[in-house]
Amino acid sequence: MDELAERARTGGVPVATTPRLSASWRRSHNYGAPAEKVDPVFIGTVDDESLFFQCGQQVLLGLHETLANEPVSLMLTDEDGHVLSRVCHNHALIEALDRTYLAPGFAFSEREAGTNGLGLALADRTPSLVRGDEHYCTGLWDYTCAAVPVLDPVHGRLLGSINLTTWSQKSANLLLALAQTAAGHTSALMLSRGHGMQPRPAPRGEVFRMNAAAQFGSAPELSGPWQIALTEVRAALAEGLSVGIVGEPGVGKTTLLATALRHVQPHDRILNARPPDPRDTEWWLTLWTPELGKDNTSVIAAGVDTLPSWAATELAEIVAAQARRPFTVTAREATAIPDALARHVDTVVELPPLRHRPDDVLPLAEHLGKRARGREVRFTPAAARALRTYHWPDNSEQLRRVVREAAARSDVVDTRHLPPEVLCGPTRTLTRIETLERDEIARCLAEPGTTVTRAAEILGMSRATIYRKITQYGIRTPD
């Protein structure tokens, strides 16, 4: 029996040895988590103005009313395990939780508290239930914790978790189901209050998506920031170093890696391995061993910051044993690359977002238009100006969608072919009515020859009102 299992048998109580719990215990041991009494970090004030907090808190308050006097504490945490709020009316449970610092302002990730419900849910990004002596720290053995991660309903980013905690001797059969319901309601409420946000597409079951090098297409000549990043990556790969590219979603991290790999290994197959649905992770891992062992194959592990911790550890072991080519990964930021994989990454290069590379927008748009249309696509000066000055919150992926839709309508793209949001500057979140009003004004002004005065007549507004709305919504009027 290993050291951790032996230590866990204090008092003759055996620890559960499921693979996920065992992996979590090993991580806790490596982190140096406390074995007997938690001493978490206190961050003080928490962000109570975010959409996630407001929706999550409303859901927890509603659920708490249905639980009457049950000894259950309902908590909301951020993605780092900091407790943002706690709802509980059972005084005995509140006092006990206070003694273990499971309270707002304290951090309870695996690093601070070892294996626990919310820490495991955040690490593995999947619903988790930890009972009594399954906790790494004996100071938490009095509790059973059920936690479910909450993802951004639009972008899929991890926001935090819903955590339900009760006494360890209480039945936990419904605890995880309640936590899953609360997490689902939180995401749904965020989507409802997001004023027009669209949910991200559901996973299509493509746990390992293979792309031949030619499928990436030749990237156009882009500006300084892109070229600097590309030069750094090429140099590292030529030296046999493993590389990580970090940056916002949709910024072109995989494209940059594929371009560099084609330069260094022009005859290689390039496989882009996207993160799987958590339920498919074991199958996804089985596909790595044969591919990493091939001499003519380069693999990009995309979005490793969204992998469950145990899967990242398993993948790191496969890389160490099988990889014959430099290992390449992408992530949102360097600190988000799982520790197990970060040890195999020799250099990290950051790719700036598209809003910081305005000179790249038009070349990319022309390139994407040609790919979508099958022939050259031109942009009028007004359309080009609108594209360059837009802030592109979803980066190149959003530009691709906009150009594909516009190019489907014409070989010469004008402002009237662009969606209304591209013609508007950054603004606050709008209600659905405001969004409709903004879009109608933008569409009207985009029609050739339409002046502000004429648009006011068409829309039944006074000139003063439409000028005020143009300023309010940040609409850019064509010259």
Side-chain angles (χ1 to χ4, degrees):
M1 181 172 297
D2 64 26
E3 175 187 347
L4 294 178
E6 185 65 38
R7 190 191 64 74
R9 296 183 65 89
T10 303
V13 182
V15 66
T17 54
T18 64
R20 282 188 63 211
L21 281 170
S22 297
S24 178
W25 272 57
R26 286 194 295 272
R27 291 195 300 270
S28 302
H29 177 71
N30 293 335
Y31 292 148
E36 297 179 358
K37 183 178 180 181
V38 292
D39 186 21
V41 174
F42 180 68
I43 62 167
T45 58
V46 298
D47 179 10
D48 58 0
E49 296 183 357
S50 69
L51 182 63
F52 166 60
F53 179 92
Q54 293 173 3
C55 294
Q57 186 71 354
Q58 180 176 332
V59 169
L60 291 188
L61 289 172
L63 178 58
H64 182 259
E65 293 300 321
T66 69
L67 293 176
N69 296 318
E70 290 294 321
V72 177
S73 174
L74 294 81
M75 301 176 214
L76 192 69
T77 82
D78 68 11
E79 71 274 18
D80 296 318
H82 298 120
V83 180
L84 302 178
S85 71
R86 185 181 70 185
V87 182
C88 181
H89 286 331
N90 185 279
H91 296 297
L93 183 57
I94 290 174
E95 291 177 0
L97 293 175
D98 284 344
R99 287 194 296 271
T100 55
Y101 304 105
L102 191 49
F106 288 93
F108 254 75
S109 69
E110 287 182 337
R111 289 182 180 274
E112 282 81 23
T115 302
N116 67 90
L118 73 89
L120 183 57
L122 293 171
D124 283 356
R125 295 170 183 260
T126 192
S128 302
L129 180 68
V130 178
R131 302 177 176 89
D133 62 356
E134 293 175 345
H135 289 90
Y136 181 81
C137 178
T138 59
L140 299 176
W141 282 10
D142 289 336
Y143 309 105
T144 289
C145 302
V148 178
V150 179
L151 305 182
D152 185 306
V154 177
H155 302 293
R157 183 172 64 88
L158 179 66
L159 299 175
S161 74
I162 299 290
N163 175 52
L164 273 61
T165 298
T166 188
W167 301 112
S168 59
Q169 67 270 24
K170 292 288 183 179
S171 172
N173 293 336
L174 293 179
L175 209 61
L176 189 58
L178 287 173
Q180 288 178 297
T181 299
H185 287 174
T186 298
S187 292
L189 190 58
M190 288 181 65
L191 195 64
S192 174
R193 290 187 178 178
H195 306 303
M197 295 193 306
Q198 297 297 319
R200 65 189 177 108
R204 294 175 296 176
E206 297 172 345
V207 299
F208 196 89
R209 184 172 182 175
M210 296 184 292
N211 298 302
Q215 288 180 284
F216 284 104
S218 299
E221 287 296 323
L222 299 179
S223 66
W226 174 276
Q227 294 299 335
I228 291 172
L230 182 59
T231 299
E232 288 186 39
V233 174
R234 282 178 175 174
L237 291 174
E239 294 179 17
L241 302 178
S242 295
V243 179
I245 303 292
V246 298
E248 294 179 4
V251 78
K253 300 185 291 290
T254 300
T255 300
L256 186 141
L257 270 177
T259 303
L261 285 166
R262 278 204 311 273
H263 180 269
V264 176
Q265 299 289 348
H267 303 297
D268 268 15
R269 293 189 312 147
I270 298 176
L271 307 184
N272 176 25
R274 299 184 178 183
D277 183 282
R279 294 166 297 183
D280 299 325
T281 303
E282 289 190 20
W283 177 26
W284 182 82
L285 285 169
T286 64
L287 299 172
W288 279 86
T289 298
E291 298 302 337
L292 284 174
K294 294 177 181 178
D295 289 326
N296 64 337
T297 299
S298 294
V299 182
I300 300 171
V304 294
D305 51 318
T306 66
L307 286 176
S309 293
W310 71 269
T313 301
E314 291 286 332
L315 178 56
E317 293 176 357
I318 296 171
V319 169
Q322 301 289 335
R324 298 192 180 186
R325 285 279 191 266
F327 184 57
T328 60
V329 304
T330 72
R332 178 182 290 269
E333 53 190 31
T335 56
I337 300 175
D339 291 341
L341 291 173
R343 288 191 285 271
H344 295 277
V345 176
D346 301 308
T347 185
V348 175
V349 177
E350 182 174 5
L351 185 57
L354 194 56
R355 63 183 174 275
H356 295 162
R357 297 155 37 210
D359 291 340
D360 287 349
V361 174
L362 192 56
L364 275 174
E366 292 171 344
H367 170 71
L368 295 168
K370 183 176 181 180
R371 286 182 59 183
R373 190 85 172 169
R375 54 180 179 267
E376 297 292 336
V377 173
R378 294 191 301 108
F379 294 83
T380 66
R385 183 168 57 254
L387 292 176
R388 280 197 303 268
T389 56
Y390 184 58
H391 60 293
W392 300 110
D394 292 331
N395 293 296
S396 302
E397 281 300 307
Q398 184 183 12
L399 178 63
R400 180 185 60 80
R401 294 193 299 269
V402 167
V403 169
R404 182 175 59 185
E405 180 180 343
R409 301 169 63 187
S410 176
D411 286 344
V412 180
V413 175
D414 197 8
T415 52
R416 68 181 183 276
H417 301 126
L418 301 176
E421 63 266 22
V422 174
L423 305 176
C424 304
T427 184
R428 62 179 174 80
T429 302
L430 303 178
T431 65
R432 286 189 175 89
I433 297 299
E434 289 173 325
T435 301
L436 290 172
E437 183 178 59
R438 180 204 66 185
D439 290 358
E440 283 304 308
I441 295 173
R443 286 193 188 99
C444 193
L445 289 171
E447 289 298 322
T450 302
T451 64
V452 174
T453 301
R454 177 58 181 153
E457 294 173 357
I458 294 172
L459 297 171
M461 296 180 179
S462 68
R463 289 182 63 205
T465 298
I466 197 169
Y467 274 115
R468 177 170 56 81
K469 296 291 185 181
I470 288 170
T471 301
Q472 174 185 343
Y473 297 137
I475 299 173
R476 294 186 287 273
T477 57
D479 293 339

